[in-house]
Amino acid sequence: NAGVTQTPKFQVLKTGQSMTLQCAQDMNHEYMSWYRQDPGMGLRLIHYSVGAGITDQGEVPNGYNVSRSTTEDFPLRLLSAAPSQTSVYFCASSRHLKRSYEQYFGPGTRLTVT
Amino acid sequence: AQRVTQPEKLLSVFKGAPVELKCNYSYSGSPELFWYVQYSRQRLQLLLRHISRESIKGFTADLNKGETSFHLKKPFAQEEDSAMYYCALRWGSGGSNYKLTFGKGTLLTVNP
């Protein structure tokens, strides 16, 4: 049971490049989400999904796309990277948020956009 | 709009001293609150949730709806408590449409 996995751990992009951050969980969780962590800003929700085929925007969705074709995977796509997207990105999953279930976090991806 | 405020970015105490990390929230619905912790080089993990009324690693937190607060307390801090602490609020409009909003975090340092 690997929990929540994220790849890559580190990435450097140039402005305008695109890439996909991968996230997978093996706990059969319905709910998955992406956060970005910036100094002094805490964690901010980018996108979330309540099940396969269902996604919705969080607090800071601009510049990011997601899809959820399977229960296990929830990739985050940066369409055209900008320096403002330099951040640490965390993926999380939980059974669902109807109740106070724990969210399990991945190890994070540290992204630098130059 | 829902909001979580952690007024202290940094908190430094000595080992054995009491510690209190403050969290205030703003939400018109029925709140559910959590404390998450991130130790150095480790993943963010759940510390405790108000609905469980539990004590984890000596930490407790009581939801005070009158003061809209969920402060985290420990009577005797240990060096291994040094970490970043986030308060989080679960909110939503019903069905499956729930989200977590996090505060900006408090970095706790426990000095020997």
Side-chain angles (χ1 to χ4, degrees):
Chain A
N1 191 328
V4 180
T5 58
Q6 290 183 238
T7 56
K9 288 188 177 179
F10 302 95
Q11 183 70 48
V12 179
L13 289 178
K14 294 186 176 178
T15 298
Q17 287 185 317
S18 62
M19 80 159 295
T20 300
L21 307 185
Q22 301 292 343
C23 174
Q25 53 91 10
D26 60 1
M27 296 174 281
N28 201 32
H29 283 166
E30 296 175 15
Y31 188 95
M32 295 186 75
S33 53
W34 277 101
Y35 296 89
R36 58 179 289 173
Q37 183 184 45
D38 301 292
M41 299 298 292
L43 279 85
R44 292 180 292 171
L45 182 65
I46 304 171
H47 285 286
Y48 67 101
S49 169
V50 299
I54 306 169
T55 63
D56 205 348
Q57 295 181 350
E59 181 185 357
V60 287
N62 292 341
Y64 307 95
N65 272 0
V66 293
S67 60
R68 183 101 178 265
S69 56
T70 67
T71 299
E72 295 78 18
D73 300 299
F74 191 44
L76 178 72
R77 281 182 287 278
L78 281 70
L79 307 174
S80 177
S84 61
Q85 294 178 304
T86 294
S87 187
V88 180
Y89 291 85
F90 289 99
C91 179
S93 76
S94 67
R95 287 181 62 180
H96 55 72
L97 284 194
K98 291 179 187 178
R99 296 187 180 181
S100 296
Y101 289 116
E102 175 179 358
Q103 285 215 50
Y104 293 85
F105 283 82
T109 294
R110 187 173 293 274
L111 175 69
T112 302
V113 183
T114 61
Chain B
Q2 66 294 331
R3 187 168 61 243
V4 176
T5 303
Q6 293 180 249
E8 304 132 333
K9 283 187 178 179
L10 304 169
L11 185 61
S12 181
V13 301
F14 286 102
K15 177 182 173 181
V19 63
E20 182 180 47
L21 290 85
K22 291 185 168 53
C23 172
N24 289 91
Y25 67 91
S26 172
Y27 180 48
S28 58
S30 181
E32 291 199 28
L33 287 134
F34 307 78
W35 278 99
Y36 279 81
V37 61
Q38 188 175 27
Y39 301 102
S40 180
R41 299 188 191 86
Q42 292 189 26
R43 303 181 185 208
L44 203 67
Q45 58 188 277
L46 178 67
L47 181 62
L48 54 79
R49 69 199 93 186
H50 94 267
I51 200 167
S52 302
R53 301 185 64 81
E54 56 205 342
S55 173
I56 303 293
K57 298 184 180 182
F59 284 98
T60 59
D62 291 317
L63 178 62
N64 186 324
K65 291 187 178 180
E67 296 183 358
T68 60
S69 67
F70 188 57
H71 304 327
L72 184 67
K73 299 177 184 179
K74 184 169 183 177
F76 307 103
Q78 303 299 315
E79 289 180 67
E80 55 266 30
D81 296 328
S82 296
M84 178 69 85
Y85 291 80
Y86 291 99
C87 183
L89 166 71
R90 187 197 78 127
W91 62 279
S93 56
S96 300
N97 191 26
Y98 286 98
K99 306 170 194 177
L100 275 188
T101 290
F102 286 82
K104 295 183 178 181
T106 297
L107 181 62
L108 173 66
T109 302
V110 181
N111 300 297

